[in-house]
Each structure stands twice: as structure tokens, then as C-alpha cells.
Amino acid sequence: MADQLWPGLLAEAWAALASATGGAAPNSPDGQLRLGADPRLPAGLEVLWVSGAPGHLPSRLPVEDVAVACTGTALLAAAALHAQRGGDCGSRGSPTARLDLGHVAAAFRSEAYLRVNGEQAGPGFAPLSRFWRAADGWVRTHGNYPWHRSALLRALGCSDDPESVAAAIAALGARQAEDLVVGAGGVASAVRGEDSWRTEPAGQAVAATRLVEGTAIGGAPPRWRPAGALPASGIRVLDLTRVIAGPVATRYLGALGAEVLRLDAPDRPELALHAYDGLPGKHSALLDFGIADGNARLHELLSEADVLVHGYRPHALDRFGLSPELLAERHPGLVVVSLSAWGSRGPWGGRRGFDSIVQAACGIAMAESADGERPGAMPCQLLDHGTGYLCAAAALQALARQSTHGGTEFRELCLARTAHWLLALPRGEPAPSPGADGDDPAWLVTLDSADGPVTTVRPPGRLDDEALAWPRRLSRYGSDQPAWSRSG
């Protein structure tokens, strides 16, 4: 495996975590992460054991290497936190961390393998979520959610028939269509090449950020959290995320032992596919932050939480009292991880976006084109899943830092910055598949639920040869009370 990139990428991701509040050097103009902090892993964690044959995620871009690096970073951050808290797991110190390439590939395509009563829970993309040919190029739209589909149709002034949408976009320039849809509150992007994206203000703003941005507000004493059976045992995580990236982060924290409570707005129901795929390892409740009682309950939950993970656009939660300054004042010592499509800087800092939209805007879609004309896609939603595991790693690393230095810790990640990291790496032709894929029964598990058996991918990774696992029963979306377990 000497030609694999993931060992170096793992060191880069670890350095990004370590330097998130340590004053690392800025990124170089070409977007490569410049290591501004000591990239060495903690003593005893220099080696991540990775087994299995490569080739499960064939791509012109090093998708599999980035997937392993992101997952491995989260697993090693868990092992480091466990060791700091005094955990053992029989290893006389830091647990030994192991990953399998086939398992990682399956985890990064978990929504494709989800089954409820043996049937798919829903399509990955709605009919209006696709590439469309414009008058001078291509446009990618996202209409999975009803409110985004309505905004798309309102902007284009057409019916929801795909032929009608195609005709409307074909009459427009790609940038014109993007501006119309985004201006109406929808989600779309003109398909750009890498060079074009990097010369635009939005691309330059993303390139100027770190893979993991971090700040801390002082004044809170360290929170000492004694070790439990798993690295995150006894940690309470409030989950304000949806779709893929955020739920990947929080479900992995759940697999590592955290008590995770996901809150969703009653008037914005999650799609069935993501409601099932994003809920292993957590409870699920509905809460309206916009009313007095709901907002008060939100802050009561935060007063007993250790970590807040949210996937709202930058500053969208400020009106609920969740700005960094107010969080540090009302809930000192909290770890806050925020996730967005484009980050909080530049002209796109408040823009909506999803993995597929970021791929289109930043040049990945054209890098994956089979013919140089029609845009393509990666074999998995790497930006979502990879950034999700990095978010989990950031939360774990920030917990370790807070328990030593105190303060209220903030971490910020975005899909577009992960995309820049990927695009700066060497690439080649897709390697042939080794013959096994994510359908390998070894990576699948069936959980009990009120809706019948749910088959999904096991959480990737082993610590001291003990496989991570989901709790046996899967909560039904929105069915739990917005409350922490008294034994948590």
C-alpha cells in the first residue's frame, strides 16, 4: 500500500485539528493544507492499521484515500480522548485503532444500502435534483425538499414536469439560472471548472480558510469527564443537523458511546431515507425553537450538554440565542461544531448548498466527467461523509482540549473546504474494483425499529479489536421527548 495517499492525508487532517486554535500558518495559494502545527499523532497512535484491498470507490480523484483519512482521524481522536480520560479497553493506554477499506467504502455509501423491511426507504435524489443543460453550459439543482422544489419552480416560472424545467433552464445561461434559483430561496449552481471556481470571490474565500477552523472563548473552567466503556461514554451531544454530513458526525459520536439527542423543526420534516440513515445511535425529537417554550427547552438541554453540533447556515441560529458569544455566556464550557456548505466567509457564506451542489460549483463534477463535456459525480457523497467524520473528530479533539484548557470551544467545517483539499491531491484513472463491495454482509447489521427491521451499515472501525456498534433499537424519527436520559 506504499502508493496510497491516506497516511499523509491522515497526518494533514490531524494537524488541522491540532492547529484549529493554535495559530497555524495560512493555506498556500494552491489550496494545499500547510501544516502549521506539529502533525505527529499522540504517543501510541502513530499507526492506524488499515486492512483490505483498495478500489471500492473508483474515481479519477483520490476518493478512497480521503475517505480513509477522514474516518481514521475520527477514530484516532476517539482513542486519544479515551486515553486522556483514563480509559483502558485492555490496551494499557490508547486503544489500537483499525479500519477496513471495504467497510469504509460501505459507510460512505450507507444511504445506498439502507433497507426498511427489506425495501429501499426512498430515492437518493428527487426528479428535479439533477444536471440540466443550459444555453451555455450546465446547471445542477437540488429539489429533494418540498420547499426547495417550490423555490426552484417559482424562480423558473414553470410546472414540476421535468420537461418543463429542462425547457426553462435551456433558455437561460447557467449563471443566470443559478442567480434566479438562489435568489428565490432555492438551491442550484452553475457547473464550473476548477480554474473558474478558484478565480471567483467565493472560491477564493473558501481557499483562504483552513480545513478545520477553530476559536475559543475563555472564562469557563475545564470540565473533567471520567472515562467510561467507550471513548465518548457520558458525553451528551445535542444534534441540530439533517441530510447526511451532520448526521454522519453525530451518529458516529453515538457509536463511540455519546448520548445523542437530535432535534428537528416540526414544520421541516426529514426525508424518509435520511430519517432512517441518520438516526442510528441517537434519540430523535421535534422542537420549535421559534416559540418561547421551545426556545427555553432548547437552552435547558444545552445547559446539560457537552457538545452542540449544528448544520444550519452561518448565523442562521443567532436569533435563537445560539451565537458564539451568547453560547459562551449562557453555556460556558460547551464544545460547538458548526457545519455548512460554503463556510462563513465570502459572498457565498450564507448560501444554501448540498454535496452535489458543491461538487458542481467547485470543479469536481467536471473532474469526474467521462467525456469532458457532460458533468459526472464521485462514487459516493464524499464531501458529506468525509466532512461528517471530520466534524466528529473536531468535536472529540475539542472535548480533549476543553478538559485541559477550559473555555468554550468552537470548530467550523464546510463541504467546500473539504472539496478544495480533495482537488489539490494527485489523481489518475479509476482502479478496478477488488470484486467485493459494500453489500458484504460483514458490514451490514439489522436493527429493530417500530417500523420493522432496518438494515444499515455498521459504524466503521475497531478499538482494541472490538468493533463499534449501533444500539440494537433504532428510534423513530421525532418520536422521543426533547430530554436527556437521567442516566446519561
Side-chain angles (χ1 to χ4, degrees), residues 242 263-270 285-291 477:
R242 59 192 302 121
L263 299 179
D264 283 271
D267 63 340
R268 288 289 190 266
E270 181 61 285
L286 303 179
L287 189 67
D288 186 350
F289 309 158
I291 62 175
Y477 175 80

Side-chain angles (χ1 to χ4, degrees), residues 282-301:
K282 60 185 78 169
H283 296 292
S284 170
L286 303 179
L287 189 67
D288 186 350
F289 309 158
I291 62 175
D293 288 348
N295 191 260
R297 187 68 195 126
L298 171 65
H299 284 280
E300 288 172 2
L301 292 168

